[in-house]
Amino acid sequence: MVTQKIYAGTALKELRSKLSLTQRDFANRLDVSISYLNQMENNNRPIAAGVMLALARDFDFDVSELGGGDSARLIADLQEAFADPVFVNKPSLADIQLMAGNAPVAARAVLDLHRRFLGQQERLQSFDTAIGATANNPNPMPWEEVRDFFHYCDNYIDAIDRAAERMAQDIFPQDIAPMISMLNWFTENGIRLERRDGGMRHYDANNQTLTLARHMEPETQLFQMAFQIGLLKCSELFDATLDMAAFQSQEARDICRMGLANYFAGALMMPYSIFAHAALELRHDLEALALKFSCSIEQIAHRLSTLQRSGQKGVPFFFVRVDQSGTITKRHSATRLQFARFGGACPLWNVHRAFETPSDFLRQFAETPDGVRYLCLAKDVSKKGGSYRAPVRRLAIGLGCEVEHAHHLIYADDLDVKNPTAFEPIGVSCRICPRTDCHQRAVPPHGGTIEIDPNTRNQLPYHLS
């Protein structure tokens, strides 16, 4: 029997940052050397049993939270990567689980190599000279680095979340509309607001003027104002977080700064403790929460997926946003469901049908190949451009949780959770989905045997066994 080793460097770093401890002070409190702590924080060594005891005893830290999320994500990502035909000898699921649990640094190195390989392939196939000029660049694409940073931080940045929560107490006094409170803050800080046609947001530091697009919905304007507050007031905190992330390029650092400001804006508009309480009280009614916090449906759904604060966790949700082609443009999962890193989502998932009924919330019971069952919501959140000829960004979001939490959602009230025939079979990606009878399969799964009979044709041109 193999003992599961736990690598949780990010959790250690976040705890140390929250406590404002140096590595030396933290190492002394844990009774380990600085070098050993550094190795644990960088996932070069697993968390020692003595350290876990010290975390629970001296810091009141829930050690059951360590490791599980990262391991599940690594396993899903490795399964998808190894499904690529470039890997002739494909490891078994057991081998992948051992790799993710016992050698996460090596596992991420494999993912990095595969990501670079795919990038090279895309460049070669495009015949685009501008992209081809960077074909020998060994670094990962900046946006991929940033996506993985949030992915493996569990989409929760504790220091920024708490800073936004403290600031919200000053900016949003009770019984005053959020827009009026926000306008008062900008006035008190000597910043002029203007509204014009054109781009969504522009800040002129020299003239201390923030310009917002006239056509934006009020909740979008509020979010952009909160975003600017983050850039103005939390620059040092953002820098510290970016230093910890140690990105390989300035481009990735710049992209992540925008991501951190977006995260701050959501946390400022929806302060953690107040929002988490309201979510339970309103039974996760997205429309009711949107009215209460003056936010959009998408902003509410995204925020629900970030409620991962230690000791104060909300219902574990997955959140995804897709465009009309099925390409995933945002993704996060606090559940066992993981998303494909490349390409689109399973076509049987209700998020793809949201574009057909833009005014409705779609509900779906779904079951993944591992037997886990989910309640899935989908909603069209397309964004208009502000004029007749302006382009429309067509997007849909998916939000869901495992059925054991469905009683916390108003959307499950009239659904038969106990009816096994109500659950539709979905997967992550055709390349790693083991289902042999899916009528929507695009490509065969790796590791399966394909049988072709030229005299017989069913829904698929081959038979899987």
Side-chain angles (χ1 to χ4, degrees):
M1 179 177 178
V2 178
T3 301
Q4 179 75 21
K5 296 180 181 179
I6 296 177
Y7 293 80
T10 299
L12 282 180
K13 288 179 181 177
E14 288 188 353
L15 177 60
R16 181 165 61 82
S17 175
K18 183 172 70 173
L19 297 171
S20 301
L21 294 175
T22 65
Q23 272 197 332
R24 180 181 299 277
D25 293 336
F26 198 35
N28 289 337
R29 296 277 295 275
L30 296 174
D31 196 24
V32 297
S33 67
I34 296 177
S35 62
Y36 193 91
L37 173 61
N38 184 64
Q39 290 176 347
M40 287 191 293
E41 286 191 347
N42 288 285
N43 283 327
N44 293 322
R45 283 198 177 188
I47 306 296
V51 171
M52 284 194 278
L53 288 174
L55 289 171
R57 182 186 63 243
D58 300 334
F59 298 99
D60 194 26
F61 187 86
D62 184 0
V63 296
S64 65
E65 298 177 0
L66 295 175
D70 273 12
S71 180
R73 277 184 279 275
L74 272 176
I75 290 170
D77 293 347
L78 287 168
Q79 279 186 284
E80 185 182 1
F82 282 124
D84 194 312
V86 71
F87 293 102
V88 178
N89 298 315
K90 303 182 186 298
S92 66
L93 176 59
D95 288 336
I96 290 174
Q97 289 171 333
L98 282 173
M99 186 178 190
N102 295 343
V105 176
R108 291 193 179 94
V110 170
L111 292 175
D112 185 50
L113 285 172
H114 182 247
R115 177 175 55 196
R116 296 183 190 189
F117 167 79
L118 291 179
Q120 297 284 16
Q121 291 296 101
E122 289 177 357
R123 294 183 184 101
L124 288 173
Q125 292 171 6
S126 70
F127 295 102
D128 188 312
T129 56
I131 298 178
T134 66
N136 293 321
N137 182 2
N139 294 325
M141 297 293 286
W143 66 269
E144 292 175 337
E145 256 197 297
V146 174
R147 178 191 66 184
D148 286 351
F149 167 77
F150 282 100
H151 184 55
Y152 288 109
C153 280
D154 215 15
N155 204 29
Y156 176 73
I157 314 294
D158 187 76
I160 293 176
D161 209 297
R162 291 180 185 275
E165 188 173 32
R166 290 191 297 270
M167 198 171 296
Q169 296 174 357
D170 297 328
I171 296 178
F172 300 115
Q174 293 182 350
D175 301 326
I176 298 180
M179 180 61 79
I180 294 175
S181 298
M182 193 74 85
L183 291 172
N184 289 340
W185 186 91
F186 277 89
T187 299
E188 291 168 1
N189 285 270
I191 300 172
R192 190 158 52 99
L193 282 168
E194 294 183 354
R195 291 178 175 81
R196 298 176 183 173
D197 296 328
M200 292 178 63
R201 174 183 49 81
H202 174 72
Y203 180 66
D204 185 338
N206 292 327
N207 295 321
Q208 288 193 290
T209 301
L210 177 64
T211 303
L212 300 174
R214 199 190 312 276
H215 73 269
M216 290 193 305
E217 298 290 335
E219 59 267 21
T220 306
Q221 292 190 30
L222 278 170
F223 191 88
Q224 291 300 322
M225 294 161 76
F227 178 98
Q228 193 63 51
I229 291 175
L231 291 180
L232 292 170
K233 295 298 182 180
C234 292
S235 179
E236 291 184 2
L237 182 56
F238 292 171
D239 284 337
T241 305
L242 294 168
D243 290 343
M244 181 189 70
F247 291 113
Q248 298 184 40
S249 68
Q250 183 61 43
E251 290 87 349
R253 188 181 174 95
D254 292 342
I255 292 170
C256 191
R257 182 180 293 277
M258 298 285 287
L260 295 177
N262 276 319
Y263 185 96
F264 173 90
L268 181 68
M269 296 300 302
M270 295 162 275
Y272 195 104
S273 297
I274 296 174
F275 182 79
H277 176 76
L280 285 174
E281 186 178 47
L282 296 173
R283 304 191 59 230
H284 301 87
D285 186 324
L286 300 185
E287 292 170 292
L289 287 168
L291 287 172
K292 181 176 181 66
F293 290 92
S294 300
C295 292
S296 69
I297 295 293
E298 180 182 344
Q299 290 164 3
I300 293 293
H302 195 171
R303 183 57 168 155
L304 285 173
S305 74
T306 70
L307 300 183
Q308 299 300 303
R309 181 178 292 181
S310 178
Q312 202 178 351
K313 289 191 175 186
V315 170
F317 282 102
F318 65 75
F319 169 79
V320 66
R321 189 181 71 182
V322 302
D323 63 18
Q324 278 191 303
S325 72
T327 300
I328 297 173
T329 59
K330 283 184 181 179
R331 64 181 175 90
H332 173 65
S333 179
T335 71
R336 284 176 280 183
L337 177 66
Q338 301 300 325
F339 304 113
R341 290 162 60 83
F342 306 99
C346 175
L348 298 177
W349 197 9
N350 67 342
V351 70
H352 301 290
R353 299 197 295 271
F355 296 105
E356 301 170 11
T357 54
S359 61
D360 298 335
F361 280 91
L362 301 185
R363 302 178 297 173
Q364 177 189 36
F365 279 148
E367 181 176 336
T368 48
D370 57 4
V372 182
R373 293 173 173 177
Y374 298 89
L375 170 61
C376 307
L377 306 175
K379 179 76 170 66
D380 177 282
V381 291
S382 297
K383 304 177 187 296
K384 296 182 179 180
S387 66
Y388 175 70
R389 297 190 183 279
V392 177
R393 278 192 82 196
R394 302 203 177 276
L395 300 165
I397 60 168
L399 183 74
C401 65
E402 296 182 20
V403 291
E404 65 186 78
H405 302 289
H407 63 282
H408 289 300
L409 277 66
I410 195 171
Y411 305 97
D413 283 354
D414 58 342
L415 300 178
D416 187 0
V417 178
K418 297 182 179 180
N419 180 8
T421 64
F423 292 83
E424 297 182 58
I426 65 170
V428 174
S429 166
C430 286
R431 292 190 302 174
I432 62 174
C433 181
R435 301 188 192 279
T436 59
D437 57 350
C438 179
H439 62 284
Q440 285 286 356
R441 179 172 289 282
V443 295
H446 86 80
T449 301
I450 301 175
E451 298 176 1
I452 299 176
D453 181 355
N455 297 315
T456 303
R457 171 61 198 259
N458 294 312
Q459 288 180 321
L460 297 176
Y462 48 79
H463 175 72
L464 297 172
S465 60

